[in-house]
Amino acid sequence: MSATSGSSAIPHFTGDASPYGGGDPYADYRTADFPFTQDANLAARQLGAGVIAANDEFFAQRENLLVPERAEFDPEHFGHKGKIMDGWETRRRRGASADHPWPTQEDHDWALVRLGAPGVITGIVVDTAHFRGNYPQAVSVEGTFVVGAPTPEELLADDVKWTTLVPRTAVGGHAANGFVVDSPQRFTHLRVNQHPDGGIARLRVHGEVLPDPKWLATLGTFDVVALENGGRAEDASNLFYSPASNTIQPGRSRKMDDGWETRRRRDTGNDWIRYQLVAQSQIRAIEIDTAYLKGNSAGWASVSVKDGEDGNWVEVLPRTRLQPDTNHRFVLDTPAVGTHARVDIYPDGGISRLRLFGSLTDQGESQLAARHAELGA
């Protein structure tokens, strides 16, 4: 079953890409400023996303779609099946007979993607980097919500309802093709289609995590600002080296650029990140981790909380000395209630993770449950 939802292509690129001319393989790569890319990537491997099935991956494996780094290109890299590409690439489709050697309008290849966290999708990027003469003529993307961990066979069953997020749209080769999605629903899985065949380097699915309130209630105490639990980084003073959303990613930082680092200040100000919590919460403990930040860790940090957009900021952790490459833990004497949090670092530098441990208030639990129901869960 399928339904149609709102989607619009924003300046993306159609038409042929030029053959590789040597030198920097990204020199003629085409992209644009997409308004949704500040939202979390719901298809991030770090969140637990995966490409669980594809009808064909003859030339290049489907799992490459979700690799976090940009696609690489080696013009001399060939294997037994042909040119080895850093993406998902299918074989060339053929028609039914010598009289009709061309694929039909309905012929297409597909891949099933499990999102790392269920949520509302605001935009999708279908990146065809380095696919110049072998990219699809068009792509389309559908989404569905299924409870649990369905198998590919269960997702492809006739009783599963799919909503069109990106209608069949022509795309360009060696380009980031971006699509705004306007579908106020909660999705867990996508079906990515390429018409009729070809290759896609990377897939990015941006949006807002919407967790299951029953799961959070069962957990009791959890990280109320974690991306996977529905928190998000709203704004930051400086994003020179890395995004603020890194600080609420799952797990510990694995290397220096897996956290948040600012440029060096030459004034008497300080840097900060502002967060929105999953819902109104009661915070009882805080972790500030500076893992892998050794000569560039923040010197001091403080944490403040406010309740509601118009609330006043209340400092719950006063300015405290931080050590490089260290996880710092603080238990609050009095639990702090709020919907937003802010970490200030002094004067600059970085942190790798911020954890705010607590639980939803009755009001927060009610508001999250209402939104969860409203968005079709």
Side-chain angles (χ1 to χ4, degrees), residues 89-155:
E89 185 181 6
T90 65
R91 71 190 77 201
R92 299 186 188 221
R93 281 186 170 268
R94 297 293 185 241
S97 67
D99 292 334
H100 297 280
W102 310 278
T104 69
Q105 276 293 102
E106 291 72 32
D107 286 340
H108 68 278
D109 292 319
W110 53 264
L112 295 177
V113 177
R114 178 192 66 244
L115 298 180
V120 180
I121 297 170
T122 55
I124 295 174
V125 177
V126 178
D127 192 339
T128 57
H130 314 305
F131 288 93
R132 297 170 179 270
N134 50 350
Y135 61 92
Q137 181 184 40
V139 299
S140 61
V141 182
E142 302 159 279
T144 190
F145 173 83
V146 180
V147 175
T151 65
E153 292 75 20
E154 289 169 333
L155 285 171

Short mmCIF file of all heavy atoms in Angstrom, two decimals, residues 89-155:
data_model
loop_
_atom_site.label_atom_id
_atom_site.label_comp_id
_atom_site.label_asym_id
_atom_site.label_seq_id
_atom_site.Cartn_x
_atom_site.Cartn_y
_atom_site.Cartn_z
N GLU A 89 25.71 0.33 -6.03
CA GLU A 89 25.57 0.33 -7.49
C GLU A 89 25.04 -1.00 -7.97
O GLU A 89 25.57 -2.06 -7.63
CB GLU A 89 26.90 0.64 -8.18
CG GLU A 89 26.74 0.77 -9.69
CD GLU A 89 28.04 1.05 -10.42
OE1 GLU A 89 29.11 1.03 -9.77
OE2 GLU A 89 28.00 1.25 -11.65
N THR A 90 24.01 -0.94 -8.81
CA THR A 90 23.38 -2.13 -9.38
C THR A 90 23.83 -2.32 -10.83
O THR A 90 24.38 -1.42 -11.46
CB THR A 90 21.85 -2.00 -9.33
OG1 THR A 90 21.43 -0.92 -10.18
CG2 THR A 90 21.38 -1.71 -7.90
N ARG A 91 23.57 -3.53 -11.33
CA ARG A 91 23.92 -3.82 -12.73
C ARG A 91 22.98 -3.06 -13.66
O ARG A 91 21.94 -2.55 -13.26
CB ARG A 91 23.84 -5.31 -12.99
CG ARG A 91 22.44 -5.88 -13.01
CD ARG A 91 22.46 -7.40 -13.03
NE ARG A 91 22.75 -7.93 -11.70
CZ ARG A 91 23.22 -9.15 -11.48
NH1 ARG A 91 23.47 -9.97 -12.49
NH2 ARG A 91 23.44 -9.57 -10.25
N ARG A 92 23.34 -3.01 -14.95
CA ARG A 92 22.49 -2.36 -15.95
C ARG A 92 21.26 -3.23 -16.23
O ARG A 92 21.39 -4.43 -16.47
CB ARG A 92 23.25 -2.15 -17.26
CG ARG A 92 24.48 -1.26 -17.12
CD ARG A 92 25.08 -1.00 -18.48
NE ARG A 92 26.37 -0.30 -18.38
CZ ARG A 92 26.74 0.68 -19.18
NH1 ARG A 92 25.94 1.09 -20.15
NH2 ARG A 92 27.93 1.25 -19.04
N ARG A 93 20.11 -2.62 -16.20
CA ARG A 93 18.88 -3.35 -16.50
C ARG A 93 18.72 -3.50 -18.01
O ARG A 93 19.13 -2.66 -18.80
CB ARG A 93 17.67 -2.61 -15.93
CG ARG A 93 17.49 -2.85 -14.44
CD ARG A 93 16.21 -2.22 -13.92
NE ARG A 93 15.95 -2.66 -12.56
CZ ARG A 93 15.22 -3.73 -12.24
NH1 ARG A 93 14.68 -4.47 -13.22
NH2 ARG A 93 15.03 -4.06 -10.98
N ARG A 94 18.10 -4.60 -18.38
CA ARG A 94 17.82 -4.88 -19.79
C ARG A 94 16.33 -5.18 -19.97
O ARG A 94 15.63 -5.54 -19.01
CB ARG A 94 18.64 -6.09 -20.26
CG ARG A 94 20.15 -5.85 -20.20
CD ARG A 94 20.56 -4.79 -21.21
NE ARG A 94 22.00 -4.61 -21.28
CZ ARG A 94 22.62 -3.48 -21.00
NH1 ARG A 94 21.92 -2.43 -20.60
NH2 ARG A 94 23.92 -3.39 -21.12
N GLY A 95 15.88 -5.06 -21.21
CA GLY A 95 14.49 -5.35 -21.52
C GLY A 95 14.23 -6.84 -21.65
O GLY A 95 15.11 -7.68 -21.40
N ALA A 96 13.03 -7.16 -22.09
CA ALA A 96 12.59 -8.56 -22.11
C ALA A 96 13.07 -9.34 -23.33
O ALA A 96 13.13 -10.56 -23.30
CB ALA A 96 11.06 -8.60 -22.04
N SER A 97 13.43 -8.63 -24.41
CA SER A 97 13.77 -9.35 -25.65
C SER A 97 14.62 -8.46 -26.54
O SER A 97 14.81 -7.25 -26.26
CB SER A 97 12.50 -9.76 -26.39
OG SER A 97 11.81 -8.62 -26.88
N ALA A 98 15.09 -9.05 -27.64
CA ALA A 98 15.88 -8.27 -28.60
C ALA A 98 15.04 -7.18 -29.24
O ALA A 98 15.55 -6.12 -29.60
CB ALA A 98 16.43 -9.20 -29.68
N ASP A 99 13.73 -7.43 -29.37
CA ASP A 99 12.85 -6.41 -29.94
C ASP A 99 12.58 -5.28 -28.95
O ASP A 99 12.26 -4.16 -29.35
CB ASP A 99 11.52 -7.05 -30.35
CG ASP A 99 11.68 -8.00 -31.53
OD1 ASP A 99 12.63 -7.80 -32.31
OD2 ASP A 99 10.89 -8.96 -31.64
N HIS A 100 12.71 -5.58 -27.66
CA HIS A 100 12.48 -4.58 -26.61
C HIS A 100 13.62 -4.65 -25.59
O HIS A 100 13.45 -5.14 -24.48
CB HIS A 100 11.13 -4.82 -25.92
CG HIS A 100 9.96 -4.69 -26.84
ND1 HIS A 100 9.43 -3.47 -27.20
CD2 HIS A 100 9.25 -5.63 -27.51
CE1 HIS A 100 8.42 -3.66 -28.04
NE2 HIS A 100 8.28 -4.97 -28.24
N PRO A 101 14.83 -4.18 -25.98
CA PRO A 101 16.00 -4.32 -25.11
C PRO A 101 16.06 -3.31 -23.97
O PRO A 101 16.97 -3.37 -23.14
CB PRO A 101 17.16 -4.10 -26.08
CG PRO A 101 16.60 -3.18 -27.12
CD PRO A 101 15.16 -3.56 -27.28
N TRP A 102 15.11 -2.38 -23.92
CA TRP A 102 15.17 -1.31 -22.93
C TRP A 102 14.32 -1.65 -21.71
O TRP A 102 13.28 -2.29 -21.81
CB TRP A 102 14.66 0.00 -23.54
CG TRP A 102 15.31 0.29 -24.86
CD1 TRP A 102 16.53 0.86 -25.08
CD2 TRP A 102 14.78 -0.01 -26.16
NE1 TRP A 102 16.80 0.95 -26.42
CE2 TRP A 102 15.74 0.41 -27.12
CE3 TRP A 102 13.59 -0.60 -26.61
CZ2 TRP A 102 15.54 0.28 -28.48
CZ3 TRP A 102 13.39 -0.74 -27.97
CH2 TRP A 102 14.37 -0.31 -28.89
N PRO A 103 14.72 -1.21 -20.53
CA PRO A 103 13.88 -1.42 -19.35
C PRO A 103 12.57 -0.63 -19.47
O PRO A 103 12.50 0.37 -20.19
CB PRO A 103 14.74 -0.88 -18.20
CG PRO A 103 15.72 0.03 -18.84
CD PRO A 103 15.99 -0.52 -20.20
N THR A 104 11.54 -1.10 -18.79
CA THR A 104 10.25 -0.42 -18.84
C THR A 104 10.24 0.76 -17.87
O THR A 104 11.15 0.92 -17.05
CB THR A 104 9.11 -1.38 -18.46
OG1 THR A 104 9.23 -1.71 -17.06
CG2 THR A 104 9.19 -2.67 -19.28
N GLN A 105 9.20 1.55 -17.94
CA GLN A 105 9.05 2.68 -17.02
C GLN A 105 8.94 2.23 -15.57
O GLN A 105 9.31 2.96 -14.66
CB GLN A 105 7.81 3.49 -17.40
CG GLN A 105 8.03 4.51 -18.50
CD GLN A 105 8.95 5.63 -18.06
OE1 GLN A 105 10.14 5.65 -18.41
NE2 GLN A 105 8.43 6.55 -17.26
N GLU A 106 8.43 1.02 -15.36
CA GLU A 106 8.22 0.52 -13.99
C GLU A 106 9.48 -0.13 -13.42
O GLU A 106 9.58 -0.32 -12.20
CB GLU A 106 7.07 -0.50 -13.96
CG GLU A 106 5.69 0.09 -14.23
CD GLU A 106 5.49 0.50 -15.68
OE1 GLU A 106 6.07 -0.17 -16.58
OE2 GLU A 106 4.79 1.51 -15.92
N ASP A 107 10.44 -0.48 -14.25
CA ASP A 107 11.64 -1.17 -13.76
C ASP A 107 12.45 -0.24 -12.85
O ASP A 107 12.71 0.92 -13.19
CB ASP A 107 12.52 -1.62 -14.93
CG ASP A 107 11.92 -2.82 -15.66
OD1 ASP A 107 11.08 -3.52 -15.06
OD2 ASP A 107 12.31 -3.05 -16.82
N HIS A 108 12.88 -0.75 -11.70
CA HIS A 108 13.69 0.04 -10.79
C HIS A 108 14.38 -0.88 -9.78
O HIS A 108 13.96 -2.02 -9.57
CB HIS A 108 12.85 1.08 -10.05
CG HIS A 108 11.87 0.48 -9.08
ND1 HIS A 108 10.65 -0.02 -9.46
CD2 HIS A 108 11.94 0.30 -7.73
CE1 HIS A 108 10.00 -0.48 -8.41
NE2 HIS A 108 10.77 -0.32 -7.34
N ASP A 109 15.42 -0.37 -9.16
CA ASP A 109 16.10 -1.08 -8.07
C ASP A 109 15.75 -0.40 -6.76
O ASP A 109 15.42 0.79 -6.72
CB ASP A 109 17.62 -1.06 -8.30
CG ASP A 109 18.01 -1.89 -9.51
OD1 ASP A 109 17.45 -2.99 -9.68
OD2 ASP A 109 18.87 -1.44 -10.29
N TRP A 110 15.86 -1.15 -5.67
CA TRP A 110 15.44 -0.63 -4.37
C TRP A 110 16.35 -1.11 -3.25
O TRP A 110 17.01 -2.14 -3.36
CB TRP A 110 13.99 -1.00 -4.05
CG TRP A 110 13.71 -2.48 -4.16
CD1 TRP A 110 13.18 -3.15 -5.22
CD2 TRP A 110 13.98 -3.48 -3.15
NE1 TRP A 110 13.10 -4.50 -4.95
CE2 TRP A 110 13.58 -4.73 -3.69
CE3 TRP A 110 14.49 -3.44 -1.87
CZ2 TRP A 110 13.69 -5.92 -2.97
CZ3 TRP A 110 14.63 -4.63 -1.15
CH2 TRP A 110 14.21 -5.85 -1.71
N ALA A 111 16.37 -0.32 -2.17
CA ALA A 111 17.07 -0.69 -0.95
C ALA A 111 16.19 -0.31 0.24
O ALA A 111 15.53 0.74 0.22
CB ALA A 111 18.42 0.01 -0.85
N LEU A 112 16.17 -1.15 1.26
CA LEU A 112 15.41 -0.90 2.47
C LEU A 112 16.35 -0.39 3.56
O LEU A 112 17.36 -1.02 3.86
CB LEU A 112 14.71 -2.17 2.96
CG LEU A 112 13.63 -2.76 2.05
CD1 LEU A 112 13.09 -4.06 2.65
CD2 LEU A 112 12.49 -1.76 1.85
N VAL A 113 16.01 0.75 4.15
CA VAL A 113 16.84 1.39 5.16
C VAL A 113 16.08 1.45 6.48
O VAL A 113 14.95 1.95 6.53
CB VAL A 113 17.24 2.81 4.73
CG1 VAL A 113 18.05 3.51 5.83
CG2 VAL A 113 18.02 2.77 3.41
N ARG A 114 16.70 0.93 7.54
CA ARG A 114 16.15 1.08 8.89
C ARG A 114 16.76 2.33 9.51
O ARG A 114 17.98 2.46 9.59
CB ARG A 114 16.51 -0.14 9.74
CG ARG A 114 16.02 -0.06 11.19
CD ARG A 114 16.63 -1.14 12.05
NE ARG A 114 18.08 -0.95 12.19
CZ ARG A 114 19.01 -1.79 11.75
NH1 ARG A 114 18.66 -2.89 11.12
NH2 ARG A 114 20.30 -1.53 11.93
N LEU A 115 15.94 3.27 9.91
CA LEU A 115 16.45 4.48 10.55
C LEU A 115 17.05 4.13 11.91
O LEU A 115 16.58 3.21 12.59
CB LEU A 115 15.35 5.52 10.71
CG LEU A 115 14.72 6.03 9.40
CD1 LEU A 115 13.64 7.06 9.70
CD2 LEU A 115 15.78 6.62 8.47
N GLY A 116 18.05 4.88 12.31
CA GLY A 116 18.69 4.62 13.59
C GLY A 116 17.81 5.00 14.76
O GLY A 116 17.91 4.43 15.84
N ALA A 117 16.94 5.99 14.55
CA ALA A 117 15.97 6.39 15.56
C ALA A 117 14.71 6.82 14.82
O ALA A 117 14.78 7.50 13.80
CB ALA A 117 16.51 7.54 16.40
N PRO A 118 13.54 6.43 15.32
CA PRO A 118 12.30 6.84 14.65
C PRO A 118 12.11 8.34 14.77
O PRO A 118 12.50 8.95 15.78
CB PRO A 118 11.21 6.08 15.42
CG PRO A 118 11.82 5.82 16.76
CD PRO A 118 13.28 5.63 16.52
N GLY A 119 11.52 8.95 13.75
CA GLY A 119 11.36 10.39 13.84
C GLY A 119 10.63 10.99 12.67
O GLY A 119 10.18 10.28 11.75
N VAL A 120 10.49 12.31 12.71
CA VAL A 120 9.85 13.09 11.66
C VAL A 120 10.94 13.56 10.70
O VAL A 120 11.93 14.17 11.13
CB VAL A 120 9.11 14.29 12.26
CG1 VAL A 120 8.45 15.11 11.16
CG2 VAL A 120 8.08 13.83 13.28
N ILE A 121 10.78 13.31 9.42
CA ILE A 121 11.81 13.61 8.42
C ILE A 121 11.56 14.99 7.83
O ILE A 121 10.45 15.31 7.41
CB ILE A 121 11.81 12.53 7.32
CG1 ILE A 121 12.18 11.17 7.91
CG2 ILE A 121 12.77 12.91 6.19
CD1 ILE A 121 11.98 10.01 6.96
N THR A 122 12.60 15.80 7.81
CA THR A 122 12.50 17.16 7.25
C THR A 122 13.19 17.30 5.89
O THR A 122 12.89 18.23 5.14
CB THR A 122 13.09 18.18 8.22
OG1 THR A 122 14.44 17.80 8.54
CG2 THR A 122 12.28 18.24 9.50
N GLY A 123 14.11 16.41 5.59
CA GLY A 123 14.81 16.51 4.30
C GLY A 123 15.66 15.30 4.04
O GLY A 123 16.09 14.60 4.97
N ILE A 124 15.89 15.03 2.77
CA ILE A 124 16.68 13.87 2.33
C ILE A 124 17.70 14.32 1.30
O ILE A 124 17.38 15.12 0.41
CB ILE A 124 15.77 12.77 1.74
CG1 ILE A 124 14.82 12.22 2.82
CG2 ILE A 124 16.58 11.65 1.11
CD1 ILE A 124 13.79 11.24 2.30
N VAL A 125 18.93 13.82 1.43
CA VAL A 125 19.96 14.06 0.43
C VAL A 125 20.33 12.73 -0.22
O VAL A 125 20.73 11.79 0.48
CB VAL A 125 21.21 14.71 1.04
CG1 VAL A 125 22.30 14.87 -0.03
CG2 VAL A 125 20.88 16.06 1.65
N VAL A 126 20.17 12.66 -1.52
CA VAL A 126 20.61 11.51 -2.31
C VAL A 126 21.86 11.96 -3.05
O VAL A 126 21.80 12.75 -3.99
CB VAL A 126 19.52 11.05 -3.29
CG1 VAL A 126 20.02 9.89 -4.14
CG2 VAL A 126 18.25 10.65 -2.53
N ASP A 127 23.00 11.48 -2.60
CA ASP A 127 24.29 11.95 -3.08
C ASP A 127 24.85 10.97 -4.12
O ASP A 127 25.02 9.78 -3.82
CB ASP A 127 25.25 12.07 -1.90
CG ASP A 127 26.53 12.82 -2.24
OD1 ASP A 127 26.87 12.90 -3.43
OD2 ASP A 127 27.18 13.32 -1.31
N THR A 128 25.12 11.46 -5.32
CA THR A 128 25.65 10.62 -6.39
C THR A 128 27.13 10.91 -6.66
O THR A 128 27.61 10.76 -7.79
CB THR A 128 24.85 10.82 -7.69
OG1 THR A 128 24.89 12.20 -8.05
CG2 THR A 128 23.40 10.39 -7.53
N ALA A 129 27.87 11.29 -5.62
CA ALA A 129 29.28 11.63 -5.79
C ALA A 129 30.03 10.54 -6.54
O ALA A 129 29.95 9.36 -6.20
CB ALA A 129 29.93 11.84 -4.42
N HIS A 130 30.75 10.94 -7.59
CA HIS A 130 31.61 10.09 -8.43
C HIS A 130 30.83 9.19 -9.38
O HIS A 130 31.45 8.51 -10.20
CB HIS A 130 32.59 9.27 -7.59
CG HIS A 130 33.28 10.06 -6.54
ND1 HIS A 130 33.99 11.20 -6.82
CD2 HIS A 130 33.33 9.90 -5.19
CE1 HIS A 130 34.48 11.71 -5.70
NE2 HIS A 130 34.08 10.95 -4.70
N PHE A 131 29.52 9.17 -9.27
CA PHE A 131 28.71 8.45 -10.27
C PHE A 131 28.38 9.46 -11.36
O PHE A 131 27.50 10.30 -11.23
CB PHE A 131 27.44 7.89 -9.63
CG PHE A 131 27.70 6.71 -8.73
CD1 PHE A 131 27.90 6.89 -7.37
CD2 PHE A 131 27.78 5.43 -9.25
CE1 PHE A 131 28.14 5.81 -6.54
CE2 PHE A 131 28.03 4.34 -8.42
CZ PHE A 131 28.21 4.53 -7.06
N ARG A 132 29.13 9.40 -12.45
CA ARG A 132 29.03 10.39 -13.51
C ARG A 132 28.26 9.88 -14.72
O ARG A 132 27.41 10.60 -15.26
CB ARG A 132 30.44 10.83 -13.93
CG ARG A 132 31.22 11.54 -12.81
CD ARG A 132 32.68 11.73 -13.20
NE ARG A 132 33.44 12.41 -12.16
CZ ARG A 132 33.62 13.72 -12.07
NH1 ARG A 132 33.06 14.51 -12.96
NH2 ARG A 132 34.33 14.24 -11.09
N GLY A 133 28.57 8.67 -15.16
CA GLY A 133 27.84 8.09 -16.29
C GLY A 133 27.04 6.89 -15.86
O GLY A 133 26.49 6.17 -16.70
N ASN A 134 26.95 6.65 -14.56
CA ASN A 134 26.28 5.44 -14.05
C ASN A 134 25.34 5.76 -12.89
O ASN A 134 25.06 4.90 -12.07
CB ASN A 134 27.32 4.41 -13.62
CG ASN A 134 28.39 4.97 -12.70
OD1 ASN A 134 28.49 6.18 -12.50
ND2 ASN A 134 29.21 4.10 -12.14
N TYR A 135 24.87 7.01 -12.82
CA TYR A 135 23.90 7.37 -11.78
C TYR A 135 22.49 7.09 -12.30
O TYR A 135 22.27 6.97 -13.51
CB TYR A 135 24.06 8.83 -11.39
CG TYR A 135 23.84 9.82 -12.51
CD1 TYR A 135 22.58 10.38 -12.74
CD2 TYR A 135 24.89 10.20 -13.34
CE1 TYR A 135 22.38 11.28 -13.77
CE2 TYR A 135 24.71 11.10 -14.38
CZ TYR A 135 23.44 11.64 -14.59
OH TYR A 135 23.25 12.53 -15.62
N PRO A 136 21.49 6.97 -11.40
CA PRO A 136 20.13 6.71 -11.86
C PRO A 136 19.54 7.90 -12.60
O PRO A 136 19.90 9.06 -12.34
CB PRO A 136 19.37 6.42 -10.56
CG PRO A 136 20.16 7.10 -9.50
CD PRO A 136 21.59 7.00 -9.93
N GLN A 137 18.61 7.62 -13.48
CA GLN A 137 17.91 8.70 -14.17
C GLN A 137 17.03 9.48 -13.20
O GLN A 137 16.90 10.70 -13.30
CB GLN A 137 17.04 8.13 -15.29
CG GLN A 137 16.29 9.18 -16.09
CD GLN A 137 15.38 8.55 -17.13
OE1 GLN A 137 14.74 7.54 -16.86
NE2 GLN A 137 15.34 9.14 -18.31
N ALA A 138 16.45 8.77 -12.24
CA ALA A 138 15.57 9.39 -11.26
C ALA A 138 15.60 8.57 -9.98
O ALA A 138 16.01 7.40 -9.98
CB ALA A 138 14.14 9.49 -11.79
N VAL A 139 15.16 9.19 -8.89
CA VAL A 139 15.03 8.48 -7.61
C VAL A 139 13.67 8.78 -7.01
O VAL A 139 13.02 9.77 -7.36
CB VAL A 139 16.14 8.88 -6.61
CG1 VAL A 139 17.51 8.56 -7.15
CG2 VAL A 139 16.01 10.34 -6.22
N SER A 140 13.24 7.91 -6.12
CA SER A 140 12.07 8.17 -5.29
C SER A 140 12.32 7.53 -3.93
O SER A 140 13.11 6.59 -3.81
CB SER A 140 10.79 7.61 -5.93
OG SER A 140 10.88 6.19 -6.09
N VAL A 141 11.66 8.06 -2.90
CA VAL A 141 11.84 7.55 -1.54
C VAL A 141 10.48 7.44 -0.87
O VAL A 141 9.66 8.37 -0.95
CB VAL A 141 12.76 8.47 -0.70
CG1 VAL A 141 12.97 7.88 0.69
CG2 VAL A 141 14.09 8.71 -1.40
N GLU A 142 10.25 6.31 -0.21
CA GLU A 142 9.02 6.08 0.54
C GLU A 142 9.37 5.77 1.99
O GLU A 142 10.47 5.31 2.28
CB GLU A 142 8.24 4.90 -0.06
CG GLU A 142 7.88 5.08 -1.52
CD GLU A 142 7.60 3.74 -2.19
OE1 GLU A 142 8.56 3.05 -2.56
OE2 GLU A 142 6.41 3.40 -2.30
N GLY A 143 8.43 6.04 2.90
CA GLY A 143 8.65 5.79 4.30
C GLY A 143 7.50 5.04 4.92
O GLY A 143 6.36 5.11 4.45
N THR A 144 7.78 4.32 6.02
CA THR A 144 6.73 3.61 6.75
C THR A 144 7.08 3.58 8.22
O THR A 144 8.24 3.82 8.60
CB THR A 144 6.54 2.18 6.21
OG1 THR A 144 5.36 1.60 6.79
CG2 THR A 144 7.73 1.30 6.54
N PHE A 145 6.08 3.29 9.05
CA PHE A 145 6.29 3.10 10.48
C PHE A 145 5.87 1.67 10.83
O PHE A 145 4.73 1.28 10.58
CB PHE A 145 5.46 4.09 11.30
CG PHE A 145 5.51 3.80 12.78
CD1 PHE A 145 6.58 4.26 13.54
CD2 PHE A 145 4.53 3.05 13.39
CE1 PHE A 145 6.64 3.98 14.90
CE2 PHE A 145 4.59 2.78 14.75
CZ PHE A 145 5.65 3.23 15.50
N VAL A 146 6.80 0.90 11.35
CA VAL A 146 6.53 -0.48 11.74
C VAL A 146 7.12 -0.70 13.13
O VAL A 146 8.28 -0.37 13.38
CB VAL A 146 7.13 -1.49 10.74
CG1 VAL A 146 6.84 -2.91 11.19
CG2 VAL A 146 6.58 -1.25 9.35
N VAL A 147 6.34 -1.24 14.02
CA VAL A 147 6.78 -1.50 15.39
C VAL A 147 7.77 -2.66 15.40
O VAL A 147 7.63 -3.63 14.64
CB VAL A 147 5.57 -1.82 16.29
CG1 VAL A 147 6.03 -2.20 17.69
CG2 VAL A 147 4.64 -0.62 16.34
N GLY A 148 8.78 -2.57 16.27
CA GLY A 148 9.71 -3.68 16.45
C GLY A 148 10.81 -3.69 15.43
O GLY A 148 11.23 -2.66 14.92
N ALA A 149 11.30 -4.89 15.12
CA ALA A 149 12.41 -5.08 14.18
C ALA A 149 11.96 -5.99 13.05
O ALA A 149 12.27 -7.19 13.04
CB ALA A 149 13.62 -5.66 14.90
N PRO A 150 11.21 -5.47 12.09
CA PRO A 150 10.67 -6.30 11.02
C PRO A 150 11.76 -6.81 10.08
O PRO A 150 12.78 -6.16 9.88
CB PRO A 150 9.71 -5.37 10.28
CG PRO A 150 10.26 -3.99 10.53
CD PRO A 150 10.81 -4.05 11.93
N THR A 151 11.52 -7.97 9.49
CA THR A 151 12.41 -8.51 8.47
C THR A 151 12.14 -7.81 7.15
O THR A 151 11.08 -7.19 6.97
CB THR A 151 12.17 -10.02 8.30
OG1 THR A 151 10.84 -10.22 7.78
CG2 THR A 151 12.33 -10.76 9.64
N PRO A 152 13.05 -7.92 6.18
CA PRO A 152 12.75 -7.36 4.86
C PRO A 152 11.46 -7.91 4.26
O PRO A 152 10.70 -7.17 3.64
CB PRO A 152 13.98 -7.76 4.03
CG PRO A 152 15.08 -7.85 5.04
CD PRO A 152 14.44 -8.40 6.27
N GLU A 153 11.23 -9.20 4.46
CA GLU A 153 10.01 -9.82 3.91
C GLU A 153 8.76 -9.20 4.53
O GLU A 153 7.75 -8.97 3.84
CB GLU A 153 10.04 -11.33 4.15
CG GLU A 153 11.11 -12.08 3.38
CD GLU A 153 12.51 -11.89 3.94
OE1 GLU A 153 12.64 -11.50 5.14
OE2 GLU A 153 13.47 -12.12 3.19
N GLU A 154 8.82 -8.92 5.83
CA GLU A 154 7.66 -8.31 6.50
C GLU A 154 7.44 -6.88 6.00
O GLU A 154 6.30 -6.44 5.83
CB GLU A 154 7.88 -8.33 8.01
CG GLU A 154 7.78 -9.73 8.61
CD GLU A 154 8.24 -9.78 10.05
OE1 GLU A 154 9.08 -8.93 10.46
OE2 GLU A 154 7.77 -10.68 10.79
N LEU A 155 8.52 -6.14 5.75
CA LEU A 155 8.38 -4.78 5.25
C LEU A 155 7.80 -4.75 3.84
O LEU A 155 7.11 -3.79 3.48
CB LEU A 155 9.74 -4.08 5.26
CG LEU A 155 10.27 -3.64 6.62
CD1 LEU A 155 11.71 -3.17 6.48
CD2 LEU A 155 9.41 -2.53 7.22
#
